[in-house]
Amino acid sequence: MRSRLLAALLLPVLAALPLFAQTAAPTDTPSPEFQKKMQAVFDAFSNGRYAESLLRLQEAEKLRPNDPQVINLHGSILVKQEQWAAADEQFDKALKIDPKFFPARFNKAEVLYLQKKYPESRAGFQSILADDPKNELILYKVYLTYLLEKNLDEAKARLDKFDFGGNTPAYYYANAAWLFNQGKGPQAEDYIRSALSIFPTQSNNLFAEPLIEAGWLQKRDPASGQR
């Protein structure tokens, strides 16, 4: 199971992680001991050793038990293990500390999306749009919920609103998703290639993940020429 979130506790490590596992920058400087423990967490996480990463995170949590970023990561590891209810509890715990904490808000909607509960997931994403109506990632996710539940009229209406000149590859991946859904793989790949030539690797990975989840796109080799 894969998924997706933004800017990081340990940026060099987090650049390689899916969105949902990433966290916002802390407001205070973590101790060297905490950073060392978190590095071990991310090393295990990045290599698919989720049980180990959770054990290591529990040690780090003792140093920062009320840090929503750490709690969010705890939930993200549980998502990787498909422990949906337990993961959701962690995201709720993070939001009790910071109700506007974007990663946990995103992840609550994402947990539903990964379970194919598209109407419920969409409601979660739309609550984020109420605060950030131009967020291209969230607009893309809402669009995908319509596309994947076969509401093609609504999906097409939203597809037509994506901005060719946007700051993210949302336009390209939204069009690729539409074409993949129609069985037009080669045309979809043209949009993917364009996105890869314009936007950096991390942005492409973020928007490609839902297409990988849907079985439309294969995970690419990091050395395949993305910048």
Side-chain angles (χ1 to χ4, degrees):
M1 186 58 65
R2 307 177 185 89
S3 202
R4 350 307 141 214
L5 264 211
L6 299 153
L9 206 63
L10 298 171
L11 186 57
V13 178
L14 283 169
L17 294 184
L19 176 62
F20 73 82
Q22 297 190 26
T23 57
T27 56
D28 58 323
T29 303
S31 68
E33 180 185 3
F34 176 79
Q35 293 187 50
K36 182 178 179 180
K37 289 181 183 295
M38 290 302 293
Q39 183 67 56
V41 172
F42 291 128
D43 285 346
F45 187 98
S46 298
N47 287 287
R49 303 194 306 273
Y50 304 126
E52 177 187 339
S53 66
L54 186 56
L55 287 173
R56 293 185 179 276
L57 182 65
Q58 288 168 345
E59 290 299 312
E61 284 180 305
K62 294 176 183 177
L63 299 176
R64 297 172 74 94
N66 297 312
D67 188 333
Q69 302 162 62
V70 178
I71 297 167
N72 179 70
L73 180 56
H74 189 150
S76 300
I77 296 170
L78 292 171
V79 169
K80 282 291 190 177
Q81 297 176 321
E82 299 187 22
Q83 297 187 44
W84 310 121
D88 196 58
E89 287 178 5
Q90 292 297 314
F91 302 139
D92 282 337
K93 182 178 176 182
L95 289 170
K96 285 182 180 178
I97 297 169
D98 182 356
K100 293 295 186 180
F101 187 53
F102 176 85
R105 294 179 72 191
F106 180 98
N107 287 341
K108 280 186 66 66
E110 185 72 357
V111 163
L112 295 165
Y113 181 93
L114 291 172
Q115 296 177 83
K116 305 186 188 306
K117 296 179 179 179
Y118 298 124
E120 298 92 335
S121 173
R122 182 164 57 245
F125 288 128
Q126 288 175 326
S127 74
I128 299 174
L129 285 177
D131 294 329
D132 188 7
K134 295 183 179 181
N135 187 309
E136 294 181 2
L137 173 63
I138 306 303
L139 290 168
Y140 174 65
K141 294 298 304 224
V142 170
Y143 156 72
L144 287 174
T145 65
Y146 284 114
L147 183 64
L148 291 170
E149 68 181 8
K150 309 302 182 185
N151 186 341
L152 299 184
D153 289 342
E154 187 64 33
K156 186 61 166 63
R158 290 173 180 273
L159 174 64
D160 291 342
K161 293 179 181 179
F162 283 101
D163 182 4
F164 173 78
N167 295 320
T168 75
Y171 168 86
Y172 297 90
Y173 283 92
N175 276 281
W178 181 264
L179 291 166
F180 277 128
N181 190 57
Q182 293 184 325
K184 298 178 179 179
Q187 296 95 317
E189 287 283 356
D190 287 341
Y191 277 99
I192 302 296
R193 280 190 288 271
S194 294
L196 292 171
S197 71
I198 298 168
F199 296 94
T201 299
Q202 192 171 7
S203 293
N204 276 284
N205 289 347
L206 190 62
F207 285 83
E209 284 292 344
L211 307 192
I212 295 170
E213 288 285 348
W216 292 329
L217 191 64
Q218 291 186 342
K219 201 167 183 71
R220 297 173 185 271
D221 186 336
S224 63
Q226 297 181 40
R227 68 184 182 89

